[in-house]
Amino acid sequence: MSHDNEDNKLRYRRTQSVTRAEEITDKESKQRKSQPDKPCHRPRDSLFSWSSGFDNFTGLVNWGFLLLTMGGFRLVLENFIKYGIRVDPVQWFVVLTGKNEGEGHPSLLLIFYTIVPIMICLIVEKGLAADILMESAGMIVHVVNIVVLVLIPMVVIHVKGETFSLVGAMTVCFIYCIMFLKMWSYVQVNMWCRTKHKKRRNRSGRRQSVSIAQLQNEREHEQIRSNGNGVIPNNDKDNVPTLVHYPDNLHLKDFFYFLLAPTLCYELNFPRTSRVRKRFLIKRMLEVVIGVHIVMGLFQQWMIPSVRNSLVPFSNMDLTKTAERLLKLAIPNHLMWLCFFYLTFHSFLNLMGELLHFSDRNFYSDWWNANNIDTFWRTWNMPVHKWCVRHLYIPVVDLGYSKMAASVIVFFISAFFHEYLVSVPLKTFKIWAFMGMMAQIPLSVVSKHMEKNYGPRWGNIVVWASIILGQPLAIMMYYHDYMITNYNDVLV
């Protein structure tokens, strides 16, 4: 018995001798302070320890920013010394205005042609709403109309590619992709409304009596059809507009508003602002003008020489020089991508939203804090994310497919359009962009593994690494294939 007590005391003394700061009790701390030796030590952890609770690293952030600025300034000087000043605003004007295109400006003709599928879509919707067309026949026409819309740039640019400028072809493909997504949403939302409208009409059956309120409501709906302004007048003191109901939304003004609005998801009643903020509008306009010049300047001065210099090492499969070219191209490409993100998702979309009184400005979320790839794709491009969830992911799950299968289908469609936007303008049909998007699925597993086992910081590092290195690698591959396809004789 006495032996056990001695073991307990020894274990107790051994526990108290541990040097970890959190093991020292408050009682011992008070006793130490009462000693005449004037103690200056207290239990605390080093600042770089996770247990310290210290999180103010502002000085280190400033140091890193200054170091990056100095390194970037050195690269700028090196670029100017090696290549001289390559920035040429006159050439920007020629490229952006399409003056280097062939006769007739085929890019503008293709953009104007989008009115044809728009009118076909609206006419079919009116026919379905009036029960002139059968549902199956109307859906067949819609599917053919939307698919042909995507195929037109592929065929025309392939056949008449020499008359298109690169910027013009890219603009056409981008607009046609946006039209495809918007028309898909328009058709699907009207189908939802039409189904519910018919169910309500079938439940009500034959009306036995008509009330005064119903007659007034019918007169208001008749007025909206004649006015075509998409808003039913309200004579209340608050002047709150009454919601538009199906099929009163089926008119050109409503459709064109949706086509111009900074969203891909159609609604019968969009949230609206009451006025245009002039100061906010001027800021966004200046940002668009200045941002375009910055992006064009970076591309002309920094990107083009780096991409050209990567051709020979990439062709010879010199891994060391290719890696050096990749890292050198990563910096200007990433700066351009960040400028393009701000220019598109903040400046331009807010500009359009302000002009159109569109009040939902959730164009992006805090993607820079994404701890895995899935979170990044859900937050960096909110219009596309909302469209994918609303019109693709949820309908596929409702059909009985698993969430994993729905996610793969979403990435597949996204990969197709990424490839479409690159291969069609370049007339170089490869699969690098497609494979890059499909590679996001296994990369998502890796980033989640890093987040789970090593903390969210490492998951965020994986996200940033994929953004910084993935894009310049794809650019080098497409430039190599484009030059080999079109200028192989000159290179040899």
Side-chain angles (χ1 to χ4, degrees), residues 50 368-373 447-464:
W50 288 105
W368 48 87
N369 293 325
N371 297 326
N372 55 67
I373 297 296
S447 64
K448 288 182 178 179
H449 173 78
M450 298 294 290
E451 179 187 12
K452 181 179 179 181
N453 294 278
Y454 301 99
R457 177 174 297 180
W458 281 99
N460 184 255
I461 290 175
V462 172
V463 173
W464 277 112

Side-chain angles (χ1 to χ4, degrees), residues 359-370:
S359 63
D360 184 5
R361 309 294 174 86
N362 184 27
F363 304 128
Y364 56 90
S365 189
D366 58 334
W367 56 265
W368 48 87
N369 293 325

Side-chain angles (χ1 to χ4, degrees), residues 78 121 138 166 171 195 199-200 208 214 231 235 244 316 318 327 330-331 339 352 370-371 380 401 417 427 454 491:
E78 179 185 9
C121 180
L166 181 60
T171 303
T195 302
K199 288 181 179 179
R200 186 185 300 115
Q208 297 180 357
Q214 288 174 327
V231 178
N235 297 322
V244 177
N316 299 332
D318 188 337
L327 294 174
I331 296 176
C339 292
M352 294 300 296
N371 297 326
W380 95 276
Y401 292 91
F417 280 108
K427 300 182 292 294
Y454 301 99
L491 293 175

Side-chain angles (χ1 to χ4, degrees), residues 92 96 286-298 339 343:
W92 302 354
L96 293 177
L286 290 176
E287 287 176 356
V288 169
V289 174
I290 296 173
V292 169
H293 284 76
I294 291 176
V295 170
M296 294 295 292
L298 285 173
C339 292
L343 176 65

Side-chain angles (χ1 to χ4, degrees), residues 78 82 309 313 318-330 476:
E78 179 185 9
K82 188 174 181 179
N309 292 337
D318 188 337
L319 296 181
T320 302
K321 290 186 178 180
T322 299
E324 187 269 336
R325 292 287 101 186
L326 175 65
L327 294 174
K328 190 171 184 179
L329 179 62
M476 289 169 59

Side-chain angles (χ1 to χ4, degrees), residues 38-58:
K38 298 181 179 180
C40 61
H41 299 287
R42 59 183 176 86
R44 48 190 169 184
D45 295 316
S46 299
L47 295 184
F48 286 146
S49 301
W50 288 105
S51 56
S52 68
F54 183 79
D55 58 359
N56 186 10
F57 295 99
T58 304

